Amino acid sequence: MRKYLIAGNWKMNMKPSEAKVFAKQLTDSIKDVSSDVIVMIAPPFTALQAVGEAIKGSVIKLGAQNMNDNEKGAFTGEISADMLLDVGVEYVILGHSERRQIYKESNEFINKKVLFALKKGLKPVLCIGELLEERESGKTNSVLKTQLVEGLKNVAKDDMKNIVIAYEPVWAIGTGKVATPEVAEETHKFVRDTLAEIFDKTVAENTIIQYGGSVTDASVDGLMKQPDIDGALVGGASLKADSFTRIVKFVR
Ligand code: PGA
């Protein structure tokens, strides 16, 4: 049976000193979360160590927001998998739409990171999603299929148990425009069917597919009731303890 994964993507928010206090607060408010829900928070790089220490011994897992695809060396401004592992990171968000849009990351580049993360024993959260004009012109499915086929190229079937897919319609991220549960479910079903095509039905059935894009404590329950939605990647609402706690404790 698939678990749910609720993840907080803090983006470029929270100084290490603030992050430490906030993470400690979360360990307390989230300690009685249901056993079928995995909780992960992804602070900025500078706060990873402090947050890692604050959540030690709690149910919360540590995630990073990006990673370089090389072992080490002359890559100014980049962070390696070993550096992340050394501070206790388990998950790494890859191909977030802000990386794709602002920093022009391609499917091919994201695929290199996915493969490298797997090789290192990190669990990639591969983000996919269509732009508003792509949805409006009926291209959603073909865009998502390309992102999946190219992003998961050369991933072994057996490694899929360590990959999470985050479906995040770009038009819903940070806009307050959450996809309706029905629209999100229809797309999640397509993503799952595509995983069955690329790999097989068992892989598709076992893969966690999160929804992301303006998820709040008000919208989470309706989304999580859908059969193919297995959690949420939460930006803005993950920065407030009460809303993130309520999201983690969603009601189905
Ligand atoms: P949002 O961000 O919840 O603020 O829309 C989600 C994300 O970008 O992962």
Side-chain angles (χ1 to χ4, degrees):
M1 206 38 209
R2 293 191 299 270
K3 289 205 175 207
Y4 290 83
L5 173 65
I6 304 284
N9 173 12
W10 293 4
K11 308 192 180 184
M12 200 169 73
N13 297 290
M14 298 259 187
K15 292 176 264 190
S17 50
E18 296 165 328
K20 190 173 155 183
V21 175
F22 183 59
K24 199 86 215 150
Q25 197 182 342
L26 288 180
T27 60
D28 194 48
S29 63
I30 284 172
K31 62 177 183 292
D32 53 347
V33 63
S34 154
S35 61
D36 61 359
V37 178
I38 304 165
V39 181
M40 179 265 273
I41 49 179
F45 293 137
T46 50
L48 281 172
Q49 183 149 19
V51 170
E53 280 162 18
I55 63 176
K56 210 168 260 168
S58 79
V59 296
I60 306 175
K61 314 272 188 205
L62 192 60
Q65 299 173 20
N66 191 19
M67 187 203 78
N68 187 268
D69 60 316
N70 292 280
E71 189 70 47
K72 62 177 183 174
F75 300 97
T76 302
E78 292 291 296
I79 297 283
S80 76
D82 282 342
M83 292 169 188
L84 299 180
L85 288 162
D86 198 55
V87 291
V89 168
E90 243 180 87
Y91 291 86
V92 59
I93 299 170
L94 296 174
H96 188 278
S97 69
E98 284 146 20
R99 306 279 339 156
R100 292 177 187 263
Q101 304 302 312
I102 307 170
Y103 303 103
K104 308 292 170 224
E105 292 193 3
S106 65
N107 286 321
E108 193 189 353
F109 182 50
I110 294 159
N111 175 245
K112 283 189 188 161
K113 299 193 200 197
V114 168
L115 293 171
F116 197 69
L118 288 169
K119 185 174 148 203
K120 285 292 181 174
L122 285 162
K123 297 181 179 128
V125 176
L126 173 63
C127 302
I128 58 170
E130 82 286 3
L131 303 169
L132 183 59
E133 57 265 34
E134 291 167 340
R135 177 159 285 268
E136 285 175 343
S137 58
K139 295 198 185 107
T140 300
N141 290 357
S142 70
V143 168
L144 297 177
K145 187 165 182 173
T146 303
Q147 289 173 339
L148 285 169
V149 169
E150 296 182 7
L152 296 172
K153 195 170 165 201
N154 295 328
V155 169
K157 211 188 261 190
D158 194 45
D159 277 334
M160 280 304 290
K161 61 179 182 300
N162 293 318
I163 293 196
V164 173
I165 305 293
Y167 166 60
E168 300 200 296
V170 181
W171 46 270
I173 295 179
T175 57
K177 280 190 213 146
V178 62
T180 62
E182 294 71 29
V183 166
E185 168 59 22
E186 191 188 7
T187 314
H188 276 241
K189 173 88 176 61
F190 173 78
V191 171
R192 202 173 301 286
D193 289 347
T194 306
L195 291 176
E197 258 176 54
I198 303 174
F199 298 97
D200 61 29
K201 224 172 150 39
T202 312
V203 165
E205 280 308 313
N206 290 333
T207 303
I208 293 178
I209 307 174
Q210 296 179 296
Y211 170 81
S214 295
V215 175
T216 62
D217 45 3
S219 58
V220 69
D221 296 350
L223 290 161
M224 294 312 121
K225 284 191 176 84
Q226 304 301 317
D228 289 294
I229 302 183
D230 314 315
L233 183 53
V234 187
S238 73
L239 297 168
K240 286 172 245 130
D242 52 352
S243 55
F244 191 61
T245 301
R246 174 61 182 81
I247 290 171
V248 163
K249 296 181 186 175
F250 62 86
V251 180
R252 310 193 277 283

